[in-house]
Amino acid sequence: MAAEIVNPRSESADRTGPEGGAEPLDPFDPVFALHRGGKMAVQATVPVRDKDDLSLAYTPGVARVCTAIAEQPELVNDYTWKSSVVAVVTDGTAVLGLGDIGPEASLPVMEGKAILFKQFGGVDAVPIALACTGVDEIVETVVRLAPSFGGVNLEDISAPRCFEIERRLQDALDIPVFHDDQHGTAIVTLAALRNAARLSGRDIGELRAVISGAGAAGVAIAKMLVEAGIGDVAVADRKGVVSADRGDLTDVKRELASLTNKAGLSGSLEDALDGADVFIGVSGGTVPEAAVASMAKGAFVFAMANPNPEVHPDVAHKYAAVVATGRSDFPNQINNVLAFPGIFAGALQVRASRITEGMKLAAAEALAGVVGEDLAADYVIPSPFDERVAPAVTAAVAAAARAEGVARR
């Protein structure tokens, strides 16, 4: 039985065009056809066929369950959907490649995220777009919503606010809080890098990486590579390499400078790429071909900006042994859907109180392991449609949660 979410606009309703006039959308455009009415619905898991069913699912029977939960609050995980549902929360300030488009315009993406949770991880998720952007407001709102959910996936919140919001929510709540733009990207990147290194007969401890972009993804990737034992990694923003001698760094970038750039590099991104083993792009823009050519022999180029990679694969392949992008029409797509469904499925399975660094590293290791002996230059990361991915990540995350003492069952 499905409780349908009805689109308040009928098939014949006018659409408001950019000048405020009525502008019907093209009914033959497959994108708009697919999104009409939204991409989700709520479906009941129990029947309500007659008065007996109704008395069990709702009043008076439901009162007994409510009373039991009031007396033993932990029962909420067994007798409601709380322990199996994630809130997908955004303020619409950093949506995909679209930027600050606001909460309403972000909803198609949040719906998409929710159906990916279900499709790839079997996890129910609810999109929540907030009409506020202040750190205090967002934290307070999510804390008040949290009793309904087993986890919180923060999505498309701009840096640097996203760092503080995640940290404060992790401190305030006893359920997993995970900013996918940061950690999902970092986990998949690390998995691909591990396999690229394995393909070339090297360990990641032998590699020097350069990251273009010091936003949410760039910071998280750098920290995860350090945690995983990268030889060295430097991060470049619009003003060049993030280094301790710069006087214009935010608190986040100051911390980043203390963790990275052992070589003490300064100057531009192009300067840092000279002799580097790995390029990781999460910033947009274009890297000059000459800079790519200056990298070490057998380098790896992960140009992940969408829709236009920082280095076009045709250029990257001239100089790099392994090339990855964020696009589905090239091999080696670095796609967060490889990570977040299994991560939350594993965390919810054991009712973890948080997602630890060890759980993230375990997810990356499991994801890399799916490739196995099929490893090749055009296959260092599996497809999102590989049915082995989510179970492998789920099991690894659940085991790591237990090992790190954050599992509650």
Side-chain angles (χ1 to χ4, degrees):
M1 173 180 175
E4 295 182 356
I5 297 176
V6 179
N7 183 3
R9 296 190 178 205
S10 70
E11 290 292 318
S12 60
D14 285 340
R15 303 298 188 260
T16 301
E19 304 303 323
E23 182 182 319
L25 296 174
D26 181 357
F28 299 105
D29 184 323
V31 171
F32 285 98
L34 182 143
H35 285 77
R36 180 178 289 278
K39 301 188 291 293
M40 299 176 60
V42 175
Q43 181 172 326
T45 60
V46 297
V48 185
R49 298 161 299 194
D50 52 36
K51 66 181 181 63
D52 292 332
D53 288 345
L54 183 61
S55 70
L56 291 172
Y58 200 52
T59 187
V62 73
R64 292 169 56 191
V65 180
C66 293
T67 301
I69 293 171
E71 293 172 353
Q72 300 181 61
E74 68 276 7
L75 291 178
V76 70
N77 293 299
D78 295 310
Y79 294 100
T80 74
W81 78 340
K82 175 182 171 70
S83 65
S84 60
V85 67
V86 171
V88 180
V89 179
T90 189
D91 63 357
T93 56
V95 180
L96 293 175
L98 304 174
D100 185 355
I101 59 174
E104 288 87 353
S106 76
L107 268 176
V109 178
M110 299 310 111
E111 287 183 4
K113 198 80 174 189
I115 66 174
L116 295 178
F117 265 109
K118 188 68 173 178
Q119 175 72 26
F120 293 103
V123 174
D124 289 308
V126 177
I128 298 175
L130 302 179
C132 58
T133 58
V135 171
D136 291 341
E137 292 176 295
I138 292 174
V139 170
E140 180 180 356
T141 302
V142 175
V143 167
R144 291 187 178 192
L145 290 169
S148 296
F149 299 99
V152 175
N153 185 87
L154 299 173
E155 191 74 23
D156 294 349
I157 298 173
S158 63
R161 296 173 309 117
C162 60
F163 302 113
E164 183 179 356
I165 289 168
E166 183 188 43
R167 178 184 57 76
R168 287 175 55 180
L169 286 173
Q170 287 172 337
D171 290 343
L173 300 176
D174 66 346
I175 58 175
V177 177
F178 184 85
H179 185 203
D180 186 52
D181 299 330
Q182 293 184 59
H183 311 299
T185 307
I187 288 164
V188 182
T189 301
L190 174 59
L193 184 58
R194 282 194 182 283
N195 276 338
R198 180 163 70 93
L199 182 67
S200 67
R202 290 178 286 177
D203 184 85
I204 66 169
E206 302 173 47
L207 305 176
R208 178 170 74 84
V210 177
I211 298 172
S212 174
V219 170
I221 292 169
K223 288 183 175 181
M224 178 155 277
L225 293 185
V226 169
E227 189 77 22
I230 191 80
D232 195 10
V233 56
V235 182
D237 62 12
R238 291 183 181 88
K239 297 183 179 180
V241 175
V242 175
S243 57
D245 59 356
R246 277 178 47 181
D248 60 344
L249 300 182
T250 63
D251 290 343
V252 170
K253 290 181 183 179
R254 252 192 306 276
E255 180 192 12
L256 189 62
S258 72
L259 298 172
T260 62
N261 195 16
K262 295 176 187 175
L265 301 176
S266 59
S268 67
L269 168 70
E270 290 81 359
D271 294 333
L273 281 175
D274 188 9
D277 302 293
V278 185
F279 168 75
I280 298 171
V282 283
S283 65
T286 301
V287 176
E289 182 172 345
V292 181
S294 74
M295 295 177 68
K297 185 178 180 180
F300 313 140
V301 172
F302 293 1
M304 302 188 303
N306 270 317
N308 300 311
E310 294 88 349
V311 183
H312 192 279
D314 291 344
V315 173
H317 278 297
K318 295 180 183 180
Y319 310 101
V322 176
V323 177
T325 71
R327 289 174 48 154
S328 60
D329 54 346
F330 292 109
N332 295 327
Q333 184 190 18
I334 307 294
N335 191 330
N336 288 16
V337 77
L338 290 162
F340 68 80
I343 288 167
F344 270 99
L348 293 175
Q349 184 181 97
V350 298
R351 293 181 190 165
S353 58
R354 62 190 301 109
I355 294 172
T356 66
E357 292 304 311
M359 292 161 73
K360 297 173 199 172
L361 290 171
E365 191 70 34
L367 182 55
V370 170
V371 170
E373 297 307 309
D374 296 324
L375 180 65
D378 61 354
Y379 184 57
V380 297
I381 199 75
S383 161
F385 296 98
D386 188 323
E387 295 181 355
R388 299 171 298 170
V389 168
V393 174
T394 298
V397 168
R402 291 190 177 101
E404 301 217 328
V406 297
R408 289 178 285 202
R409 74 168 184 180

